[in-house]
């Protein structure tokens, strides 16, 4: 990401801490930001806290409905309606590329409503690191996007819902762990399939990947049903 941005002549700012992030936004006025979901969650909480503090919660919700309604008929007034929110981010922010952890659907839908698109994706270090990502013109907040070109995805031992461990094959997959042949053999088959340790499902028609949770985190009930803590966290 950094090398491509530099090659394209992009001005890049690297933030030093969560505390100084919003002041940095106002100083550099970025058009795009690359963040983990924790930051997006904090933005979301801060926006709503500000709305509640001003006593305009009902009005803000009406503005969201009006904005979304107009957008359906091709009228985009998001940056005008939510100008005060955009000013907190420097006034130019249009895109947040988000990864590194699961992101709640609600966050994507909210920021889309105010005029900032979030394109979340899925990657893992052993896959150099990108496996799938949403596009600015084709995105689904429930998924981690479309699988990257040249990669094959397989769901190992899927359950009745089509969920199982995600396996990846392609040129981005590592050759192995350095000087650790036994550990390599645990996750990398001879024919090149890499076991990610993540559970999810894959839609062959749309090429979209959905992440359910981590293999190590799964709770198995007495009736054999698999429970993914990440899904429970959303409700909590």
């Amino acid at each position: 990401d950094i090398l491509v941005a530099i090659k394209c002549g992009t001005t890049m700012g690297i933030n030093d801490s969560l505390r100084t992030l919003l002041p940095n936004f106002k100083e550099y006025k970025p058009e795009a930001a690359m963040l983990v979901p924790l930051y997006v969650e904090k933005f979301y909480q801060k926006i709503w806290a500000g709305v509640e503090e001003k006593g305009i919660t009902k009005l803000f919700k009406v503005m969201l409905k009006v904005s979304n309604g107009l957008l359906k008929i091709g009228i985009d007034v998001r940056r005008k309606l939510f100008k005060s929110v955009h000013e907190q981010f420097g006034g130019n922010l249009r895109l947040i590329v988000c990864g590194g952890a699961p992101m709640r659907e609600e966050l994507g839908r909210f920021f889309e409503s105010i005029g900032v698109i979030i394109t979340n994706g899925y990657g893992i270090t052993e896959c150099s690191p990108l496996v799938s990502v949403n596009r600015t013109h084709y995105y689904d907040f429930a998924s981690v996007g479309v699988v990257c070109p040249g990669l094959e995805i397989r769901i190992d031992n899927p359950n009745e819902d089509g969920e199982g461990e995600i396996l990846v094959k392609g040129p981005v997959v590592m050759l192995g762990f350095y000087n650790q042949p036994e550990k390599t053999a645990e996750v990398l088959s001879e024919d090149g399939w890499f076991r990610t340790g993540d559970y999810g499902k894959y839609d062959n028609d749309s090429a979209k990947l959905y992440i359910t949770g981590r293999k190590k985190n799964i709770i198995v009930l007495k009736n054999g049903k698999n429970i993914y803590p990440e899904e429970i966290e959303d409700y909590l």
Side-chain angles (χ1 to χ4, degrees):
D1 288 334
I2 293 172
L3 291 175
V4 170
I6 291 172
K7 182 171 175 58
C8 292
T10 301
T11 299
M12 184 178 296
I14 300 178
N15 178 63
D16 50 350
S17 72
L18 182 57
R19 182 178 55 84
T20 61
L21 184 56
L22 285 178
N24 284 350
F25 266 108
K26 291 178 181 178
E27 182 177 352
Y28 287 99
K29 298 177 173 53
E31 295 179 21
M34 291 180 282
L35 304 166
V36 293
L38 171 65
Y39 285 81
V40 180
E41 187 80 49
K42 292 294 183 184
F43 293 160
Y44 176 79
Q45 293 170 1
K46 189 175 179 63
I47 291 169
W48 278 110
V51 168
E52 290 171 6
E53 188 179 334
K54 293 176 182 176
I56 57 170
T57 303
K58 288 184 179 180
L59 175 62
F60 193 79
K61 288 180 178 179
V62 170
M63 289 166 63
L64 288 171
K65 287 183 180 180
V66 170
S67 175
N68 289 332
L70 290 173
L71 199 59
K72 288 179 180 178
I73 58 174
I75 301 173
D76 189 352
V77 294
R78 293 175 294 179
R79 303 194 76 81
K80 290 181 179 179
L81 273 180
F82 305 104
K83 184 179 179 182
S84 61
V85 176
H86 283 276
E87 286 175 348
Q88 294 181 44
F89 301 105
N92 296 325
L93 187 65
R94 298 177 181 276
L95 171 68
I96 294 176
V97 181
C98 196
M103 186 192 76
R104 293 191 294 127
E105 262 188 83
E106 182 184 353
L107 297 179
R109 300 197 185 285
F110 172 78
F111 279 93
E112 180 187 41
S113 296
I114 65 171
V116 178
I117 299 301
I118 297 181
T119 56
N120 61 315
Y122 166 68
I124 188 166
T125 304
E126 292 87 347
C127 293
S128 305
L130 193 61
V131 175
S132 66
V133 67
N134 279 286
R135 311 317 201 238
T136 53
H137 59 283
Y138 183 66
Y139 51 88
D140 174 6
F141 300 123
S143 81
V144 288
V146 177
V147 173
C148 293
L151 297 187
E152 295 179 59
I153 295 291
R154 194 174 85 200
I155 303 299
D156 190 42
N157 294 321
N159 61 17
E160 67 274 11
D161 298 319
E163 298 169 346
E165 185 177 4
I166 300 166
L167 274 58
V168 182
K169 185 178 183 180
V172 303
V173 175
M174 66 169 185
L175 299 178
F177 295 116
Y178 183 64
N179 284 341
Q180 298 184 65
E182 292 183 1
K183 188 177 179 183
T184 298
E186 290 176 6
V187 298
L188 192 60
S189 67
E190 291 184 2
D191 57 351
W193 286 101
F194 172 70
R195 292 185 171 276
T196 64
D198 290 308
Y199 265 54
K201 55 186 177 180
Y202 180 60
D203 186 337
N204 286 296
D205 294 331
S206 65
K208 289 179 183 177
L209 184 63
Y210 297 82
I211 304 296
T212 308
R214 285 289 293 170
K215 184 178 180 180
K216 293 179 180 178
N217 295 346
I218 292 176
I219 301 167
V220 183
L221 300 183
K222 290 179 181 179
N223 62 2
K225 180 71 176 176
N226 288 342
I227 301 297
Y228 303 96
E230 290 84 356
E231 293 181 343
I232 298 173
E233 285 174 358
D234 283 349
Y235 291 102
L236 294 175

